[in-house]
Amino acid sequence: MAEKIKVIMDCDPGIDDALAMAYAAANSDTLDILAVTSVSGNQSIQKVTRNALDLTEFYGLDVPVAEGAPAPLVREPQFAAEIHGNTGLGDCELPRSSRVPEQENAVLFLYKILSQLPENEQAVLVPTGPLTNIALLLKTFPEVKSKIREIVFMGGAAKGGNVTPAAEFNIYVDPEAAKIVCDCGVPLVMCGLDVTTKCFLTRNQIAKLCQSNNPVAKICGDMAGFYISQPYNKYKGTVNVHDAVPFMYLIHPEIFTGENAKINVDCSEGVSRGSTLCDFRWWNYEENEINAFVLEDAMTEKFQEYLISAIYELGESKKS
Ligand code: RIB
Ligand code: CA
């Protein structure tokens, strides 16, 4: 039996964060989720922390939740209510959990979890929101880098953007944090829009989830149904489940392709604010300057098959 991968999810739920958490929770035979931390992004820190508590309970994830940064490092918070709704989870009513966040904030809690790992063990950080908490952790406790195997994050784009033509939301909201993470020296896997736009669910797949009597499928279907009904998505007829990609990469790397690159983050105020400039010309750099493996493509049907089956499996486990 292969050793489980120790992971920590740093998220801003967020509808696709919620589906990603379901996927991770369903794969507990492969992933050992040590903790969930929240960060201001799709909605306020209060709302995303509430959602993280309710989601972990609903999915049967008995893991600590720690509340993170209420705002980016130097910029004002920017939410995505037009996509994720006023609560952050569309118009879904999850059962309200009685759980409360940890006493420590996310940065202190991340440091505690990582520094308490046995000497020869490391964890994978899976950020699916702005990188504020991760940047604060790396700057405050640089020694903890030795306990991080890699950072597999949803963010950025080698080409294009979704908040602007040049920038993806998680990076755009806190480019300074993204720059700190990209320059930190820990191995990175960037799951940017290049690959996440190939990792979508269709209107029909969402409709089937909504019609199911499987409790997790129904909730995930309702959340995705809200997502697809928003102006941003409704003419596409599909929803990109961006945040499930990092977890799927950890479990099924074979369905993805990518290249090594040097990533530079634009922290200007201009039209390219938050862009992740990926230089694939590896021959121009020393090996230690290449800071990321950038995912570029995915087998869409495999992604859909693995995500949908995991959602149903998690729901079946709730019934038993
Ligand atoms: O650009 C997509 C990313 O921004 C996803 O993580 C989504 O949840 C939002 O945080
Ligand atoms: Ca997110």
Side-chain angles (χ1 to χ4, degrees):
M1 177 78 169
E3 185 106 0
K4 291 187 182 184
I5 305 169
K6 289 180 171 57
V7 298
I8 297 174
M9 182 179 192
D10 182 71
C11 55
D12 61 338
I15 290 169
D16 56 331
D17 304 73
L19 269 68
M21 194 187 290
Y23 179 74
N27 283 280
S28 56
D29 55 338
T30 309
L31 301 177
D32 178 5
I33 303 173
L34 303 178
V36 170
T37 52
S38 62
V39 63
S40 168
N42 286 319
Q43 263 296 353
S44 67
I45 192 63
Q46 293 79 11
K47 292 181 179 180
V48 297
T49 305
R50 173 79 265 144
N51 293 339
L53 292 164
D54 295 345
L55 286 164
T56 52
E57 175 144 10
F58 185 72
Y59 293 151
L61 264 181
D62 186 15
V63 297
V65 173
E67 179 172 297
L73 294 183
V74 293
R75 297 169 192 259
E76 288 306 307
Q78 179 159 333
F79 305 145
E82 74 284 359
I83 294 176
H84 297 270
N86 184 46
T87 68
L89 295 180
D91 46 15
C92 287
E93 293 290 327
L94 273 175
R96 188 176 177 100
S97 167
S98 57
R99 295 178 181 182
V100 294
E102 296 297 306
Q103 286 294 322
E104 304 94 329
N105 72 32
V107 175
L108 293 175
F109 194 71
L110 283 165
Y111 176 67
K112 184 170 87 173
I113 292 275
L114 290 167
S115 52
Q116 287 176 355
L117 286 174
E119 192 172 332
N120 62 342
E121 291 189 19
Q122 295 178 305
V124 176
L125 299 188
V126 181
T128 62
L131 292 165
T132 315
N133 292 337
I134 310 305
L136 288 168
L137 171 72
L138 295 169
K139 280 294 185 187
T140 312
F141 305 107
E143 69 275 18
V144 83
K145 290 180 194 175
S146 64
K147 302 306 286 179
I148 304 170
R149 187 184 94 180
E150 60 186 339
I151 300 173
V152 186
F153 69 97
M154 192 281 134
K159 181 180 172 217
N162 54 8
V163 178
T164 71
E168 177 279 326
F169 178 82
N170 288 336
I171 309 301
Y172 181 84
V173 165
D174 198 344
E176 287 75 18
K179 177 168 178 47
I180 289 167
V181 173
C182 285
D183 295 347
C184 75
V186 172
L188 306 175
V189 177
M190 183 177 104
C191 307
L193 297 178
D194 318 277
V195 67
T196 66
T197 51
K198 283 114 176 185
C199 297
F200 56 82
L201 293 179
T202 67
R203 191 179 300 281
N204 285 344
Q205 289 167 332
I206 293 168
K208 283 183 185 157
L209 289 170
C210 291
Q211 291 153 12
S212 170
N213 63 7
N214 177 304
V216 173
K218 176 81 173 88
I219 277 285
C220 288
D222 288 346
M223 288 188 285
F226 178 92
Y227 208 1
I228 203 169
S229 65
Q230 298 314 296
Y232 182 81
N233 285 311
K234 70 182 178 184
Y235 300 111
K236 288 192 302 178
T238 61
V239 291
N240 301 320
V241 191
H242 305 279
D243 293 337
V245 173
F247 291 110
M248 191 141 337
Y249 170 76
L250 287 171
I251 298 170
H252 290 290
E254 73 280 359
I255 73 167
F256 298 98
T257 58
E259 285 182 80
N260 288 323
K262 166 73 174 171
I263 303 177
N264 280 301
V265 181
D266 185 321
C267 295
S268 73
E269 284 307 321
V271 290
S272 57
R273 164 187 163 175
S275 69
T276 45
L277 191 64
C278 298
D279 191 346
F280 295 100
R281 300 170 302 163
W282 50 269
W283 52 88
N284 285 343
Y285 297 96
E286 297 300 323
E287 193 167 341
N288 64 354
E289 291 179 296
I290 294 292
N291 53 4
F293 183 64
V294 174
L295 298 190
E296 294 173 300
D297 205 353
M299 298 163 78
T300 301
E301 291 181 6
K302 278 294 183 189
F303 172 85
Q304 294 169 336
E305 174 196 334
Y306 292 142
L307 176 60
I308 291 170
S309 55
I311 287 171
Y312 277 102
E313 283 162 22
L314 186 62
E316 288 306 315
S317 70
K318 260 181 76 72
K319 286 180 184 176
S320 53

